[in-house]
Amino acid sequence: MPFSLTIPHYFVKIIEDITLEIIYYMKLEEAITKRIYALCEERNISPNKLATFSGLPAGSIKSIFYGKSKNPGTRTILDMCQALDISLYDFFDDNLFKDKELEGTY
């Protein structure tokens, strides 16, 4: 006998609200980490290769890559962008950074 589940509309609204809350609470450093990770994955570049290409210490790259860095500096981001052959504009021109509610750690 097949199993069927109907979700009441008020539960759907709760799920939508939870999803919005998750997006709302994304931190800037998380968005930066996700963007770097995605760019490296697209180019098949490891954190060590990115460190070599950018001239940054491997420990710094890994700290950003694995979300341990709480505030990667603009110079660091610029160096990584140059190593990935993209502009800062291209780096930040992503849906991750379009949320007006994006929060930073101070």
Side-chain angles (χ1 to χ4, degrees), residues 66-106:
Y66 298 112
K68 293 181 181 177
S69 176
K70 297 300 177 199
N71 190 13
T74 52
R75 182 69 221 189
T76 300
I77 295 170
L78 177 62
D79 289 344
M80 288 186 291
C81 286
Q82 290 172 339
L84 295 166
D85 197 30
I86 63 169
S87 67
L88 280 172
Y89 177 86
D90 292 332
F91 181 82
F92 287 108
D93 186 28
D94 187 87
N95 286 335
L96 288 167
F97 303 105
K98 295 198 188 313
D99 185 2
K100 292 179 184 178
E101 305 299 330
L102 196 63
E103 297 180 356
T105 301
Y106 304 99

Side-chain angles (χ1 to χ4, degrees), residues 54-71:
S54 66
L56 295 167
S60 297
I61 297 291
K62 286 181 182 179
S63 179
I64 295 167
F65 215 81
Y66 298 112
K68 293 181 181 177
S69 176
K70 297 300 177 199
N71 190 13

Side-chain angles (χ1 to χ4, degrees), residues 9-81:
H9 72 283
Y10 50 86
F11 283 137
V12 172
K13 179 65 176 145
I14 291 169
I15 292 168
E16 287 173 356
D17 289 346
I18 291 170
T19 303
L20 290 174
E21 295 258 343
I22 291 168
I23 292 169
Y24 177 79
Y25 288 113
M26 179 178 282
K27 302 279 187 206
L28 176 60
E29 54 274 7
E30 291 174 80
I32 290 170
T33 296
K34 286 181 180 192
R35 181 69 171 136
I36 292 167
Y37 186 85
L39 289 166
C40 287
E41 196 171 66
E42 286 172 14
R43 291 162 173 76
N44 198 27
I45 296 175
S46 69
N48 285 337
K49 276 187 184 176
L50 183 58
T52 301
F53 295 160
S54 66
L56 295 167
S60 297
I61 297 291
K62 286 181 182 179
S63 179
I64 295 167
F65 215 81
Y66 298 112
K68 293 181 181 177
S69 176
K70 297 300 177 199
N71 190 13
T74 52
R75 182 69 221 189
T76 300
I77 295 170
L78 177 62
D79 289 344
M80 288 186 291
C81 286

